[in-house]
Amino acid sequence: MSFYDEITALDIRSYARAVDASSDSEVSRALSKSRSGDPLDLGDFMALISPKAAPYLSDMAVLAEKHTRRRFGNTVSMYVPLYLSNRCLNNCRYCGFAAHNKYPRKHLLPEETRRECEAIHRMGYENILVVSGEDPRVCGMDYFREHLPIVAEYASYMSLEIQPLDIDEYREMRKLGVDYVCVYQETYDPECYRINHLSGKKRDMRYRMETPERVGDAGIDKVGLGALLGLFDWKADVVALTRHLMYMRRHYWGTRLSISFPRLRPAEGGFQPEYPVSDRQMIQCLCAWRLFDHELEISISTRESPRFRDVITPVVITSISAGSSTQPGGYAEDHHDLPQFIISDSRSVTEVTAALRRCGLEPVFREARSQIPGMPEAAGF
């Protein structure tokens, strides 16, 4: 049974009610278990993101930072997104790339991709996240077969955030040098998912939700999960995302897992979040995730403000972007194309790394590849 079968058999809207019904004693029990090093269950996690846990946020942050430093040391991985294309066939109400938004579309040619990689190299990055809109007519496998080998020349660790693929295609991606695939579910509520995905292949909720399983089956080193917070009741989506993590831990024990927690940002089309998540609520969720899963990798992008990133990074974050452009061709040349979303932290790489060092953290621009135990080399597929 896939995770789609598991989660859609439940009423995830009840999770929000269960979170709000958490008691003081349940919060105390969860914190006590975390202090003693005992594993937390899903009920403990729900208590820690509940209103009853809000007064204990400082205690949670101290415990979370302790677990983060113990597991990951004082280093933070630096990554940068490389947008190859803003072409997309999906109509998603919240996204600047949506097909119904009328503006000039662009996809990089091979020589433009190389210029972008050279500009990224001058910034010091070797951890590159390749991103594109979901238009397989233009950016399909043939396109990636041509462009990913160029990126691989500059990347010690290559990540991918593109349209979901079939398992054989992910196996080929592994051969092309892809180490990490991130796929946001956006929301786990079927009705909310339906009304926010108006047309395009992304309307197929099952295919999208089963993507992490196909990535794991293909033997790719790391899988990234996430929900687009603000699209639906954040308490329900956060608990559902945590169940997704639990499912992946059970079935793909040799795969590294990461989460991202994008909050809706202004984009073309004027979409406004119906369920905004405050900074304090977001920090509480992040601390709860660290207390729940000490091994979990957590990344933060330039969607978030400088102040928020400076506060939360020492506590739970393992990877961070800086100096990002969300527009194709945005590193090598000036341009005025539409970004996918408006960047909130526009500080330079130098400014962000200086802020990290002031917190006693060491930025690392080169991430090592790891071999999954018992998994054959890519050439064996």
Side-chain angles (χ1 to χ4, degrees):
M1 183 170 69
S2 74
F3 183 71
Y4 176 86
D5 296 315
E6 179 178 306
I7 198 69
T8 54
L10 305 170
D11 175 16
I12 78 160
R13 297 177 182 230
S14 67
Y15 287 152
R17 298 189 293 272
V19 167
D20 287 337
S22 297
S23 65
D24 286 319
S25 62
E26 289 171 320
V27 174
S28 296
R29 183 178 66 243
L31 288 172
S32 178
K33 289 170 70 174
S34 185
R35 291 189 188 98
S36 63
D38 294 334
L40 275 60
D41 59 29
L42 190 64
D44 296 321
F45 177 83
M46 289 193 285
L48 291 175
I49 66 170
S50 73
K52 291 291 187 181
Y56 301 93
L57 184 54
S58 294
D59 293 338
M60 290 173 62
V62 170
L63 281 170
E65 184 169 9
K66 176 183 175 182
H67 291 309
T68 303
R69 299 281 74 80
R70 178 180 294 167
R71 170 61 183 84
F72 297 98
N74 292 324
T75 61
V76 177
S77 178
M78 303 291 298
Y79 76 93
V80 68
L82 166 58
Y83 280 75
L84 296 182
S85 171
N86 61 11
R87 299 181 184 276
C88 194
L89 296 181
N90 297 317
N91 272 310
C92 306
R93 294 176 59 229
Y94 49 83
C95 182
F97 281 3
H100 62 253
N101 289 328
K102 304 303 180 184
Y103 65 91
R105 303 287 179 158
K106 179 180 178 63
H107 64 279
L108 298 185
L109 300 174
E111 58 269 24
E112 293 174 311
T113 294
R114 186 170 295 279
R115 285 199 294 270
E116 287 289 277
C117 289
E118 289 174 349
I120 286 170
H121 179 73
R122 289 192 292 271
M123 296 165 69
Y125 282 106
E126 294 186 39
N127 188 356
I128 300 176
L129 170 64
V130 176
V131 186
S132 78
E134 298 187 14
D135 186 351
R137 302 172 310 173
V138 177
C139 295
M141 285 303 296
D142 286 342
Y143 182 85
F144 293 116
R145 290 183 189 110
E146 186 175 23
H147 288 255
L148 293 188
I150 298 172
V151 180
E153 294 178 33
Y154 298 85
S156 65
Y157 199 86
M158 183 161 55
S159 307
L160 206 61
E161 191 178 317
I162 63 169
Q163 68 266 21
L165 302 173
D166 294 337
I167 185 171
D168 288 344
E169 293 171 319
Y170 280 126
R171 285 171 175 160
E172 184 173 356
M173 286 296 187
R174 188 176 180 226
K175 293 180 182 179
L176 291 171
V178 171
D179 303 286
Y180 168 42
V181 174
C182 180
V183 180
Y184 297 134
Q185 186 53 42
E186 317 299 21
T187 178
Y188 288 86
D189 180 75
E191 178 62 16
C192 182
Y193 191 92
R194 183 188 64 80
I195 65 176
N196 279 290
H197 299 96
L198 307 177
S199 64
K201 190 172 182 178
K202 196 171 180 179
R203 280 181 61 85
D204 188 342
M205 187 178 184
R206 174 186 285 276
Y207 186 74
R208 189 170 189 89
M209 195 179 293
E210 291 176 350
T211 301
E213 295 159 59
R214 296 193 298 276
V215 176
D217 288 336
I220 289 177
D221 178 44
K222 184 164 65 172
V223 178
L225 307 174
L228 185 56
L229 300 185
L231 199 60
F232 183 60
D233 189 313
W234 66 268
K235 296 170 188 172
D237 266 337
V238 163
V239 176
L241 174 57
T242 304
R243 282 195 68 124
H244 204 169
L245 287 166
M246 295 169 66
Y247 178 94
M248 293 297 293
R249 288 277 187 231
R250 290 197 308 272
H251 295 277
Y252 299 92
W253 57 267
T255 302
R256 294 165 60 191
L257 295 180
S258 174
I259 60 165
S260 301
F261 49 94
R263 288 188 284 183
L264 280 170
R265 294 282 300 144
E268 183 74 8
F271 182 86
Q272 294 297 321
E274 300 175 45
Y275 302 91
V277 184
S278 71
D279 284 359
R280 187 176 179 86
Q281 289 169 331
M282 192 69 255
I283 291 171
Q284 187 174 339
C285 286
L286 288 165
C287 290
W289 268 318
R290 174 59 68 225
L291 299 184
F292 181 77
D293 189 335
H294 303 171
E295 301 292 318
L296 182 62
E297 300 181 36
I298 305 176
S299 65
I300 186 170
S301 76
T302 52
R303 283 178 181 263
E304 299 293 343
S305 70
R307 181 177 180 275
F308 182 86
R309 295 195 340 146
D310 288 348
V311 167
I312 196 60
T313 298
V315 180
V316 301
I317 299 301
T318 59
S319 61
I320 186 170
S321 59
S324 301
S325 172
T326 62
Q327 306 179 53
Y331 298 107
E333 59 185 43
D334 293 331
H335 51 82
H336 302 285
D337 294 337
L338 182 75
Q340 184 188 22
F341 60 87
I342 298 173
I343 286 173
S344 184
D345 189 348
S346 58
R347 291 178 296 178
S348 68
V349 176
T350 300
E351 290 172 315
V352 171
T353 55
L356 291 173
R357 290 189 174 104
R358 284 195 295 271
C359 295
L361 301 175
E362 184 57 33
V364 176
F365 288 82
R366 180 184 180 88
E367 184 167 350
R369 290 185 168 97
S370 63
Q371 175 66 25
I372 301 175
M375 183 63 66
E377 294 292 340
F381 285 111

